[in-house]
Amino acid sequence: MGNVEAAARSPTERHLFPWVPIGVAVLIFAGFAQTYYLKPWFASPILPLLLHMHGALMTAWVLLFVAQTRLIAKHRVDLHRRLGIFGAVLMVLVFAAGVVTAVRAAKLGHSPGPPPLVFLIVPLFDIVAFAILVGSALALRRRTDWHRRLMLVATLNILPPATARLAVEYLHAPGLPFALGVTDIAIIGALVYDTIMHRRVHPAFAWGLGLVLFWEAAALALGSTPAWLGFAGWLTGFV
């Protein structure tokens, strides 16, 4: 318990962890306002059940993350740990729904620009990285400094779909480069702030940023290769 209480008094815990999740929630709401959250007020297409399930699960994840950080700030570690069980189950559901949604979108020919099978690697690698980060955070839940930072990186990693929509709708900019750039800058910003406050680079932030940069580079490098296109074609025919 002492480690948890000490962490709650740290500058990162007082400022970074309570406010970044709220910023994530605002960006996701803004990105999906027209097509999901405020859909009745906009003339957007009807969503299939799968997208409603995916949207509800992702929303639940973000709200849970906001709640979990607030519980730590209020020293409600007992409730935080109980909700953590629900969070582990929710992560599995988010991963499964994310994979199926991405594959179905590619099968139906949906893409923000690149050919659907080429683009499919982006959401799939994104959701795999999310699962690795959250799974690692859960495995290291007794090491609270690692746990919180990995959870923060995992949640920042799900920003691209929302920020890409903001880029296209309001900035008239290429969605994918903007979205990946925003995610990278947000994680680097959190790392820099944490490093300044604690006078060292925490390995959880370094490892998390490295994983995110790796999946982004791998997706861009492999998306157009025959091996990936063959696998993506098999996957879309299978699901």
Side-chain angles (χ1 to χ4, degrees):
M1 185 70 73
N3 290 338
V4 175
E5 291 174 349
R9 292 192 296 269
S10 73
T12 302
E13 189 63 45
R14 292 198 310 270
H15 305 299
L16 185 66
F17 289 112
W19 291 107
V20 171
I22 295 174
V24 170
V26 170
L27 282 174
I28 289 179
F29 178 83
F32 289 97
Q34 294 188 26
T35 57
Y36 187 67
Y37 297 109
L38 302 180
K39 184 176 174 53
W41 288 272
F42 294 92
S44 55
I46 297 175
L47 297 179
L49 179 60
L50 176 61
L51 289 184
H52 277 292
M53 292 175 58
H54 176 60
L57 289 169
M58 294 302 296
T59 302
W61 177 265
V62 174
L63 293 178
L64 176 65
F65 187 57
V66 172
Q68 288 288 65
T69 56
R70 298 309 303 171
L71 286 171
I72 289 297
K74 297 295 184 181
H75 309 291
R76 291 300 311 273
V77 180
D78 55 336
L79 186 53
H80 174 90
R81 287 173 175 164
R82 291 195 204 105
L83 281 176
I85 299 173
F86 170 69
V89 175
L90 182 59
M91 183 272 286
V92 175
L93 296 175
V94 166
F95 174 78
V99 170
V100 175
T101 300
V103 174
R104 289 290 296 173
K107 186 172 185 176
L108 294 173
H110 299 160
S111 170
L117 293 185
V118 173
F119 178 73
L120 176 59
I121 198 170
V122 174
L124 285 186
F125 275 30
D126 188 3
I127 198 67
V128 168
F130 168 81
I132 292 172
L133 288 164
V134 175
S136 300
L138 293 174
L140 296 169
R141 60 190 177 278
R142 296 190 181 279
R143 298 186 60 178
T144 56
D145 56 328
W146 278 78
H147 175 76
R148 293 191 181 95
R149 287 166 176 82
L150 289 174
M151 282 293 193
L152 185 66
V153 175
T155 305
L156 288 171
N157 185 60
I158 63 175
L159 276 176
T163 51
R165 284 165 172 77
L166 290 174
V168 172
E169 292 174 6
Y170 299 106
L171 302 178
H172 306 292
L176 184 58
F178 180 86
L180 298 182
V182 167
T183 296
D184 297 343
I185 290 171
I187 297 173
I188 292 170
L191 183 152
V192 170
Y193 177 84
D194 188 58
T195 300
I196 293 172
M197 292 296 102
H198 294 279
R199 299 182 181 180
R200 73 183 184 100
V201 176
H202 196 286
F205 267 138
W207 184 83
L209 175 63
L211 177 62
V212 171
L213 293 177
F214 173 78
W215 86 251
E216 292 174 355
L220 295 176
L222 300 175
S224 298
T225 62
W228 169 258
L229 293 175
F231 173 74
W234 170 83
L235 195 59
T236 54
F238 178 76
V239 175

